[in-house]
Amino acid sequence: MHRVFVYGTLKRGQPNCHYMQNKQGYGLGKFLGTGLTVQKWPLVIASNYNIPFVLDLPGKGQRIFGEVYDVDDALLASLDDLECHPSFYERIPIDVEMQEMINKDDNGDMTTKEQVTGNAHNTTEDAPVKQGNTQKTIFQSQTYVLKNFIPSLLKLPYLHDYSSNGDHGLAYCAAIDRELKETYDLHRAVKMDKYLW
């Protein structure tokens, strides 16, 4: 299994959440809970399609709220395909501080929902970090970032928590809704280097 952190259209209730719901043959994933990136990152909405991007500039922006999943090889491959990894987004490891963890039984039914404050969870992949009198659970997860982005993206507002229907008024335009004959070059609109993908 692979641990991933999703911050944009893959989150529950967002336009691409069906990838994470074990329903359409993309592979299997298990929702572990919600978390915040340990580091600040710039999360922006850009392009004609209003796509959320985390720009590869750790330390700038805000701590990002998202969801943590364990996914199998098939779902990781599906996510890589969706995100055009590695030619567009790149999948990198980041640290995520868990905010709330969901515990489920073998049937997938929720048994408990825990706020992660003051308690360390001891699984093989947890790394409890002591901060003051409490321990926080930090997971290393993989997420998708945009490298080699055009500098003008740094002038956009930085988000903490993405929603396609947020106050920003920039609803995501799903690939299925985009004009096939359109000459808009998404890659060129947000990246400095030009790959053929």
Side-chain angles (χ1 to χ4, degrees), residues 50-197:
N50 298 324
I51 297 172
F53 296 102
V54 167
L55 307 178
D56 188 28
L57 194 60
K60 189 171 183 73
Q62 300 189 44
R63 292 181 69 195
I64 299 170
F65 177 82
E67 298 172 354
V68 178
Y69 292 81
D70 278 344
V71 302
D72 67 3
D73 291 341
L75 183 50
L76 187 66
S78 294
L79 296 176
D80 284 352
D81 186 51
L82 173 70
E83 306 293 12
C84 298
H85 165 73
S87 64
F88 192 68
Y89 284 97
E90 291 187 43
R91 181 167 36 86
I92 65 166
I94 64 164
D95 290 330
V96 177
E97 178 185 328
M98 296 304 292
Q99 301 296 297
E100 185 174 79
M101 292 182 69
I102 305 297
N103 296 313
K104 295 186 177 185
D105 63 19
D106 292 336
N107 297 322
D109 296 324
M110 185 170 63
T111 57
T112 61
K113 186 177 185 179
E114 304 175 46
Q115 295 293 324
V116 183
T117 54
N119 295 324
H121 298 274
N122 296 314
T123 69
T124 57
E125 295 188 73
D126 288 355
V129 175
K130 187 144 179 119
Q131 296 180 346
N133 293 328
T134 64
Q135 286 186 331
K136 299 191 182 253
T137 299
I138 308 292
F139 282 155
Q140 185 172 78
S141 303
Q142 297 182 60
T143 199
Y144 295 89
V145 301
L146 189 67
K147 293 182 179 252
N148 302 318
F149 54 86
I150 59 173
S152 61
L153 295 182
L154 291 171
K155 296 178 183 174
L156 297 171
Y158 301 150
L159 303 176
H160 157 73
D161 184 7
Y162 172 82
S163 172
S164 180
N165 297 317
D167 293 341
H168 48 71
L170 301 170
Y172 174 74
C173 180
I176 197 167
D177 297 326
R178 300 172 192 165
E179 290 291 327
L180 295 178
K181 296 179 183 177
E182 194 171 334
T183 59
Y184 180 72
D185 185 340
L186 174 62
H187 197 116
R188 185 165 290 184
V190 296
K191 291 192 70 148
M192 291 176 55
D193 56 345
K194 183 71 173 140
Y195 291 97
L196 296 175
W197 53 280

